[in-house]
Amino acid sequence: MIRKTSDEQHTVDRQRFPTDPWRLVEAEFSAEDLGVTETLFSVGNGYLGMRGNVEEGRESHSQGTFVNGFHETWPIRHAEDAYGFAKVGQTIVNVPDAKVIRLYVDDEPLLLPVADLLEYERSLDLRDGVLRREVLWRTPSGKRVRVSSQRMVSFTERHLAVMTFEVTLLDDAAPVAISSQVLNRQDGQDEYHVRSASLGEGFDPRKAERFHERVLQPQTRWGDDERVVLSYRCTNSGMTLAVAADDRLETDNAWDVRTQVEEDLAKHVFRVQAQPGRPIRLTKTVAYHTSRGVPSRELVDRCRRTLDRVTTDGVEARLAEQREWLDDFWARSDVEVGGRPEIQQAIRWNLFQLAQATARAEGNGVPAKGLTGSGYGGHYFWDTEIYVLPFLTYTSPRFARNALRFRYHMLGAARRRAAELSQRGALFPWRTINGEEASAYYAAGTAQYHIDADVSYALVQYVRATDDVDFMRREAVDILVETARMWEDLGFWRVNSDDNFHIHGVTGPDEYTTVVNDNLFTNVMARFNLRAAALVVERMREEYPDDYARMVERLQLSPAEVTEWSRAAEKMAIPYEEVFGIHPQDSHFFEREIWDLAHTPADKRPLLLHYHPLVIYRYQVLKQADVVLALFLQGHYFTPEEKLADFEYYDPLTTGDSTLSGVVQSIIAAEVGYHELALEYFLSSLYVDLANLHANASDGVHVASAGGTWSALACGFGGMRDHDGELSFDPRLPQGWESLTFRVAWRGTRLRVTVLPAAIELTAETGDGATVGVRGQEVTVDAGQTVVVPLDGHGPVRPGRPGLRALSGNRRDDGTLITATVPHS
């Protein structure tokens, strides 16, 4: 599927997937990569997601329909248990599939892998959110049949999906049968089997856990000649689900319908005496409703009300609303690249995936794969706060607020988890659906305490960008206080040697280096968390005394605690090696041997699938950017020289085995002058799914990487930074790009930012205007005004890649040998 071109690092087979700036188009059908194309052509809205399986429902890599947060629980079986290990696993459930519409002509089924296809095109339209397919099929008896279909999951009706299926005989009459189904595959009993808790068994830890036993217990089944209903209850989690489907046939041909309803199958079979030139059009509307405890019979009533509204208003009204919703989304979210149509198409596909993963996720988090696959079990990670929320905060603030309020409602479970780990305050889970920690492998999971700071960072970023002080005063401050309490309790003072505040026994973002002391990313972000909590509490005391009093009473907060947060932040241990001028990833990182990545065979990547964790942990080798991520998020605390030295040291050690890494490396590469490398990393992230670069796109879209592509564009090439509530730009347009345009929502104003080779244009499209910085110059843009600021080059330009050269004989103050290397100068 991949091919290389002279001006792009990675792209796709353009004969099969032609370039279209507003559509993803498949011009030739292939059964060789069904898993990938099922992911790429998924449709969803953040609550309901449908994989891009073909309508006929037979040829598939993985049939999938998912509802955000709808999950089953299961006991985690540890080979050797210990106190505090996660006890209950959570896995998203593949719900009954309503996409199935099977076609028979002369009793011959349409089966795409063996069908004689005279014409074929499938397209995902990014402007109206509709998946379309056009097929011209020659049956075994030689009859030509045109089949047109559409599939849409509504952004405006959260629980609704709409499908159409139209069949026209072009030559001769023939009997036609269309079987429209709602099929429960009993949760894929022959596919799902629970694997053990160990990291390596199964074997890929990125895939979903699997079940031995039946998950969905039938509750209700009902049907007539237009509507069918099925409902279920999860065996262990107790969650309930109902699905209802209306089928309406329109044709001038003679026809009849038969209805069949069983525990795991509800279908309408339309039998048509089809004449040539007389279309047969089936319209199928489907509603899904779920709950953590509402009886399934009530959910059935909700499904009926959803479908009744469609009956009253009509499907065309829903399609028009979808287009209107997306018009507004693109007006505030589109990123335009001049002169690069293939890149433009890929950018919009990634941004569309963010809309599909987040728009209607209200009351839930954002799964790592959205609702496009079962990868990572449908869990929510810190990926959301660091990679997805910036896009939402600066383009769709309401969606960001919903995601943050979901974290707020998880606070009770986070408090319980902190207590279980003998800490005060709250500790958010590394991976979860229901708020409880679901990571069985603690070293690379639970030990990632940094998630507390990540949540706090996203929260503060949102409030500063939107001025949503009301949210902070009433709810969000509780997160800041409880996470600050956790950091102050977790860390300790080593007053006998350095009078600094240390944090030991944690894992940073780099999961190839676990349970370490003074991980730089963790300490830097904890410092941010502690300072932010102290500042917000003090501001509430001064400006909102009533809210402050209620908060103090609610959280039993004392002034002494706040003082201690500030003191711990001020004295936070930030590892730094004076001899090399480099920040160690942790206090002992430089004492490890360097992994020889250059001579590691390609078939041994990613490392986590081919080496025991203990082997990896002994080396200087990174799964993903760790220190470099800190350079981005807290860049105003590092000098340009430190950023360059750190980037040059860690870049050759980073495997990129995680898709979270490339976007961050791209941003910092652009900042320190490695412009070609910045573009290379950006493209590898942009095409991670479209070109299946990590060979696992079949498990679902890499949503965090999709969010990171926006950050790479806005913050890398656009040079946008938001440090301490000050918005600024220092752009670095890639060579050969005519322009880069993106939008930023900033305190009620939507700024359109256009980066040109020699200037940056700032336009206040909506709102009262804003004041920002451009390379140290303060620029005010009034409402409706465009300001053009000339640019004088891009700063240093460094060709090629950073390399490493070894140093020896350097020892620390305690006499230990430093075995690391430093970058070429």
Side-chain angles (χ1 to χ4, degrees):
M1 189 172 177
I2 307 170
R3 71 176 177 87
K4 296 184 182 295
T5 65
S6 58
D7 63 341
E8 292 179 294
Q9 180 68 18
H10 304 288
T11 184
V12 298
D13 177 358
R14 290 302 172 185
Q15 181 174 343
R16 183 178 169 201
F17 298 94
T19 300
D20 185 314
W22 282 107
R23 296 188 306 156
L24 179 66
V25 180
E26 181 186 34
E28 300 172 6
F29 175 80
S30 173
E32 298 300 316
D33 58 354
L34 281 176
V36 175
T37 56
E38 287 165 8
T39 292
L40 300 185
F41 289 94
S42 295
V43 290
N45 64 6
Y47 172 77
L48 172 65
M50 294 179 162
R51 280 177 65 80
N53 307 111
V54 299
E55 283 80 354
E56 293 72 37
R58 301 183 192 276
E59 308 81 20
S60 69
H61 169 83
S62 175
Q63 291 284 345
T65 300
F66 303 98
V67 175
N68 195 351
F70 187 76
H71 69 281
E72 179 61 309
T73 56
W74 46 275
I76 298 176
R77 298 181 178 91
H78 298 272
E80 295 185 18
D81 206 350
Y83 178 81
F85 279 16
K87 303 298 184 185
V88 180
Q90 309 148 37
T91 302
I92 196 168
V93 173
N94 198 344
V95 301
D97 186 6
K99 302 188 300 290
V100 180
I101 305 174
R102 291 175 176 162
L103 171 65
Y104 306 82
V105 177
D106 286 327
D107 294 327
E108 295 288 343
L110 173 58
L111 302 173
L112 292 190
V114 297
D116 183 2
L117 300 179
L118 305 179
E119 297 175 11
Y120 175 89
E121 181 183 278
R122 177 166 57 165
S123 65
L124 178 60
D125 195 311
L126 309 177
R127 291 166 298 188
D128 59 21
V130 177
L131 175 65
R132 296 181 173 87
R133 191 186 68 175
E134 296 285 338
V135 171
L136 182 57
W137 170 39
R138 182 160 50 201
T139 70
S141 63
K143 296 173 182 175
R144 292 182 303 147
V145 182
R146 184 167 296 283
V147 182
S148 304
S149 63
Q150 292 187 155
R151 183 184 303 163
M152 178 194 81
V153 174
S154 174
F155 285 112
T156 58
E157 285 279 351
R158 187 177 189 229
H159 302 272
L160 178 69
V162 177
M163 289 158 269
T164 63
F165 193 83
E166 185 171 295
V167 179
T168 306
L169 275 61
L170 301 186
D171 304 310
D172 302 305
V176 170
I178 300 175
S179 178
S180 178
Q181 305 181 7
V182 178
L183 176 61
N184 176 35
R185 303 173 194 278
Q186 299 186 40
D187 311 303
Q189 278 182 252
D190 54 349
E191 299 176 22
Y192 291 106
H193 306 283
V194 174
R195 58 181 174 80
S196 79
S198 62
L199 176 66
E201 188 178 343
F203 177 62
D204 190 340
R206 300 168 296 182
K207 295 184 180 294
E209 293 78 11
R210 300 183 172 188
F211 299 105
H212 284 300
E213 301 168 353
R214 183 181 182 108
V215 170
L216 293 180
Q217 302 297 332
Q219 301 292 296
T220 304
R221 62 181 188 271
W222 174 88
D224 61 18
D225 286 349
E226 288 192 347
R227 178 172 294 176
V228 293
V229 174
L230 297 174
S231 71
Y232 299 88
R233 180 181 182 275
C234 278
T235 303
N236 297 321
S237 72
M239 295 195 72
T240 50
L241 171 142
V243 54
D246 282 356
D247 289 304
R248 290 181 171 80
L249 195 76
E250 300 173 84
T251 183
D252 291 335
N253 299 290
W255 61 280
D256 63 25
V257 59
R258 293 188 177 182
T259 302
Q260 178 181 345
V261 180
E262 302 172 359
E263 285 187 347
D264 294 308
L265 173 66
K267 65 180 180 179
H268 291 128
V269 179
F270 298 93
R271 301 184 302 178
V272 184
Q273 300 301 316
Q275 300 297 317
R278 295 184 182 180
I280 307 162
R281 181 179 178 86
L282 172 69
T283 299
K284 184 175 187 176
T285 53
V286 185
Y288 288 85
H289 281 265
T290 60
S291 173
R292 294 185 182 271
V294 170
S296 59
R297 61 181 177 272
E298 180 176 331
L299 299 183
V300 169
D301 290 339
R302 295 180 187 180
C303 286
R304 286 170 170 156
R305 290 195 293 271
T306 298
L307 295 182
D308 288 346
R309 285 196 300 273
V310 179
T311 301
T312 301
D313 300 337
V315 167
E316 292 303 319
R318 294 292 175 257
L319 292 169
E321 289 172 355
Q322 183 90 335
R323 177 58 185 254
E324 183 179 355
W325 190 97
L326 280 165
D327 283 346
D328 185 58
F329 170 79
W330 289 115
R332 64 181 188 270
S333 309
D334 194 15
V335 178
E336 300 155 79
V337 172
R340 289 291 183 268
E342 293 186 358
I343 292 177
Q344 182 68 77
Q345 179 190 41
I347 289 171
R348 286 184 174 136
W349 182 87
N350 277 272
L351 298 183
F352 185 74
Q353 298 311 311
L354 295 172
Q356 294 200 130
T358 65
R360 303 308 306 270
E362 303 128 4
N364 294 292
V366 180
K369 299 293 185 181
L371 299 170
T372 63
S374 61
Y376 289 113
H379 291 172
Y380 318 133
F381 293 79
W382 66 286
D383 308 16
T384 300
E385 280 74 25
I386 297 302
Y387 292 88
V388 177
L389 274 179
F391 167 74
L392 300 181
T393 290
Y394 296 117
T395 63
S396 301
R398 179 168 58 85
F399 301 168
R401 192 179 197 273
N402 288 337
L404 290 165
R405 293 200 72 244
F406 170 72
R407 287 293 192 187
Y408 170 74
H409 288 295
M410 290 173 56
L411 196 53
R415 289 183 176 115
R416 293 192 297 272
R417 184 58 173 164
E420 191 172 33
L421 271 68
S422 303
Q423 305 296 158
R424 297 182 66 233
L427 178 59
F428 284 100
W430 180 60
R431 61 188 297 173
T432 190
I433 297 177
N434 61 16
E436 305 293 337
E437 178 62 77
S439 173
Y441 191 72
Y442 76 91
T446 298
Q448 294 199 43
Y449 285 69
H450 66 83
I451 189 169
D452 267 20
D454 304 333
V455 172
S456 298
Y457 178 87
L459 172 62
V460 171
Q461 185 180 61
Y462 163 79
V463 172
R464 285 174 173 168
T466 62
D467 274 339
D468 189 355
V469 179
D470 176 69
F471 175 48
M472 178 63 81
R473 292 179 356 226
R474 290 191 303 106
E475 297 179 338
V477 65
D478 291 22
I479 293 178
L480 290 182
V481 168
E482 296 289 37
T483 52
R485 280 174 166 165
M486 193 283 298
W487 290 119
E488 191 275 330
D489 188 49
L490 179 66
F492 69 98
W493 295 94
R494 195 190 293 169
V495 295
N496 61 328
S497 60
D498 60 5
D499 192 30
N500 281 331
F501 190 77
H502 296 266
I503 298 174
H504 284 187
V506 300
T507 297
D510 170 32
E511 294 153 23
Y512 285 174
T513 312
T514 66
V515 193
V516 298
N517 296 339
D518 288 329
N519 169 255
L520 180 127
F521 178 86
T522 300
N523 287 19
V524 166
M525 295 300 289
R527 180 177 64 183
F528 167 86
N529 196 162
L530 290 161
R531 283 175 173 166
L535 287 170
V536 167
V537 168
E538 180 61 22
R539 181 181 176 188
M540 286 182 62
R541 187 184 66 81
E542 294 178 353
E543 301 181 20
Y544 307 100
D546 292 342
D547 291 313
Y548 173 79
R550 283 190 290 269
M551 181 268 294
V552 167
E553 176 67 22
R554 182 171 68 247
L555 301 178
Q556 294 298 292
L557 179 66
S558 70
E561 284 188 86
V562 181
T563 300
E564 189 63 16
W565 299 343
S566 297
R567 179 170 170 255
E570 182 65 26
K571 292 291 187 175
M572 183 69 67
I574 306 298
Y576 185 68
E577 179 51 64
E578 296 283 354
V579 175
F580 297 162
I582 298 168
H583 292 89
Q585 184 168 293
D586 59 74
S587 61
H588 296 288
F589 187 79
F590 284 171
E591 297 168 13
R592 301 182 182 96
E593 184 180 354
I594 291 177
W595 187 291
D596 188 0
L597 276 179
H599 295 94
T600 301
D603 61 3
K604 294 294 186 181
R605 307 279 289 272
L607 302 185
L608 81 164
L609 299 185
H610 299 93
Y611 297 92
H612 191 284
L614 287 177
V615 175
I616 298 173
Y617 297 164
R618 295 187 185 108
Y619 288 85
Q620 291 187 51
V621 63
L622 280 62
K623 182 184 177 191
Q624 63 202 66
D626 195 304
V627 171
V628 173
L629 180 57
L631 302 180
F632 169 46
L633 299 182
Q634 293 285 277
H636 50 315
Y637 290 107
F638 298 89
T639 68
E641 294 76 19
E642 289 172 340
K643 291 179 184 178
L644 176 61
D646 286 344
F647 178 81
E648 289 187 328
Y649 185 80
Y650 288 104
D651 193 70
L653 302 178
T654 306
T655 64
D657 287 350
S658 168
T659 59
L660 301 181
S661 195
V663 291
V664 177
Q665 291 168 278
S666 176
I667 292 168
I668 298 301
E671 181 175 353
V672 301
Y674 284 103
H675 296 164
E676 292 181 3
L677 188 57
L679 182 58
E680 179 182 331
Y681 280 132
F682 167 72
L683 293 173
S684 69
S685 300
L686 184 69
Y687 288 105
V688 68
D689 290 313
L690 289 168
N692 194 21
L693 298 181
H694 282 237
N696 65 347
S698 59
D699 295 333
V701 169
H702 293 82
V703 172
S705 182
T709 60
W710 183 88
S711 292
L713 289 160
C715 303
F717 305 138
M720 186 181 87
R721 295 293 186 274
D722 174 7
H723 292 317
D724 293 334
E726 300 293 329
L727 188 67
S728 64
F729 300 91
D730 185 4
R732 294 161 175 82
L733 190 69
Q735 186 174 5
W737 287 22
E738 296 174 1
S739 61
L740 168 66
T741 300
F742 57 96
R743 283 85 179 163
V744 179
W746 184 251
R747 298 172 183 170
T749 292
R750 187 172 74 215
L751 285 175
R752 185 178 72 241
V753 182
T754 299
V755 180
L756 301 167
I760 182 171
E761 295 180 357
L762 303 170
T763 302
E765 291 186 327
T766 64
D768 298 330
T771 297
V772 301
V774 177
R775 293 189 177 173
Q777 175 185 349
E778 186 176 282
V779 178
T780 298
V781 188
D782 295 325
Q785 182 185 23
T786 296
V787 176
V788 180
V789 182
L791 301 175
D792 55 352
H794 297 278
V797 178
R798 307 179 195 280
R801 289 178 173 273
L804 292 170
R805 61 183 173 87
L807 286 184
S808 60
N810 294 290
R811 294 184 179 272
R812 302 180 187 277
D813 293 339
D814 61 5
T816 58
L817 182 66
I818 299 171
T819 59
T821 61
V822 295
H824 289 297
S825 58

